[in-house]
Amino acid sequence: MGLPELPTPFEAQGDHIAIDLPGARALFTTRRGGHSTGPFESLNLGILTEDDPAAVAANRERLGDDHGVEFAWGLQVHAARVQRRDRPNDGADPVEADGQATTTPGVAPMVLGADCLTVAIAGGGAVAVVHAGWKGLAAGVVAEGVTAIRELGANGAIEAAIGPAAGPCCYEVGEELHERFAPYGPGVRRGRNLDLKAIATRQLRDAGVQSVHDVGLCTICAGEDLFFSHRRDRGVTGRQAAIAWLTA
């Protein structure tokens, strides 16, 4: 089964979703094309799940080999830290961070998600990816991703891409969260549901990002064969990834 129709400028790249950003390419994986089985079938990239570690390692190796990159990643804790990186992990223990940024060709920042937003950000010469659930959005991780690539020397226009995540169609939250994000206006509320993507878009634009592209796919309802979803699968599921790397 193929991918759903994607909005321009997103495009299918094999089983996954790709987009060109200034000086960079970003890829949002689906759950297809890997070695894992059971509730983690098949391209589970989450090492902290209950999946077979050997299968996860094989999945990561395949993804890196397919795109000729090595990954820079951290231990995601729903906060606002974005690491500035000049090399991949190379077996080192990850530090706590919900974003990665680099100016090094061949190093691909990577974050994982299974309903939380994954966002790629790029400007001339620098690229970052960030992981943002509601806690990360409240903490400011999206703006910190923009700050990171600017500090690394990004020049020219900055663009961002929001990958598959829990959409306003499905992401029901309590009144406390609606009140927390009320300053963003009524447009981020859909009845009892919250539009995380609209909040992230506002934060990106406030941080000076010129163009924000949203793939518009919901991990909860787009299809169990397409994406992992923590909420839909009651916590027993894998993780897809956002990766990005420099192309110029």
Side-chain angles (χ1 to χ4, degrees):
M1 183 181 297
L3 295 174
E5 183 175 353
L6 302 173
T8 304
F10 292 93
E11 61 183 3
Q13 184 168 341
D15 288 317
H16 309 306
I17 299 164
I19 183 172
D20 287 321
L21 298 172
R25 187 162 178 83
L27 188 82
F28 300 96
T29 67
T30 69
R31 67 183 297 169
R32 298 172 178 169
H35 301 274
S36 299
T37 59
F40 309 105
E41 185 180 358
S42 64
L43 191 71
N44 173 32
L45 300 165
I47 62 171
L48 298 182
T49 63
E50 295 181 2
D51 194 5
D52 178 1
V56 178
N59 291 339
R60 289 190 173 206
E61 182 177 9
R62 177 174 182 175
L63 183 64
D65 289 348
D66 283 349
H67 301 285
V69 296
E70 296 180 274
F71 301 125
W73 52 280
L75 181 63
Q76 296 172 189
V77 292
H78 299 277
R81 182 180 182 188
V82 177
Q83 276 189 285
R84 282 66 161 168
R85 303 292 296 270
D86 59 6
R87 57 178 57 88
N89 285 64
D90 290 333
D93 290 336
V95 303
E96 292 185 352
D98 283 84
Q100 308 289 322
T102 193
T103 58
T104 304
V107 174
M110 177 172 72
V111 294
L112 305 176
D115 288 336
C116 290
L117 302 182
T118 56
V119 183
I121 307 165
V127 64
V129 292
V130 300
H131 156 263
W134 72 262
K135 291 181 180 178
L137 291 175
V141 69
V142 170
E144 181 60 21
V146 179
T147 297
I149 66 167
R150 284 190 173 135
E151 289 180 351
L152 289 173
N155 56 72
I158 296 175
E159 296 187 22
I162 301 173
C169 48
C170 297
Y171 189 62
E172 183 177 336
V173 301
E175 198 60 34
E176 179 182 352
L177 280 192
H178 284 298
E179 291 176 4
R180 180 184 290 263
F181 291 103
Y184 289 88
V188 304
R189 181 167 188 163
R190 309 286 182 88
R192 298 178 65 177
N193 296 354
L194 186 65
D195 191 342
L196 296 177
K197 296 182 179 187
I199 295 166
T201 297
R202 168 79 173 273
Q203 291 182 348
L204 288 161
R205 294 194 180 280
D206 287 349
V209 174
Q210 283 84 350
S211 297
V212 181
H213 311 284
D214 177 8
V215 74
L217 293 174
C218 174
T219 48
I220 298 173
C221 69
E224 292 185 26
D225 69 314
L226 190 59
F227 299 117
F228 300 110
S229 169
H230 187 272
R231 182 170 286 206
R232 182 196 64 221
D233 300 334
R234 300 175 186 240
V236 183
T237 194
R239 300 292 186 273
Q240 48 261 341
I243 62 173
W245 62 93
L246 296 174
T247 56

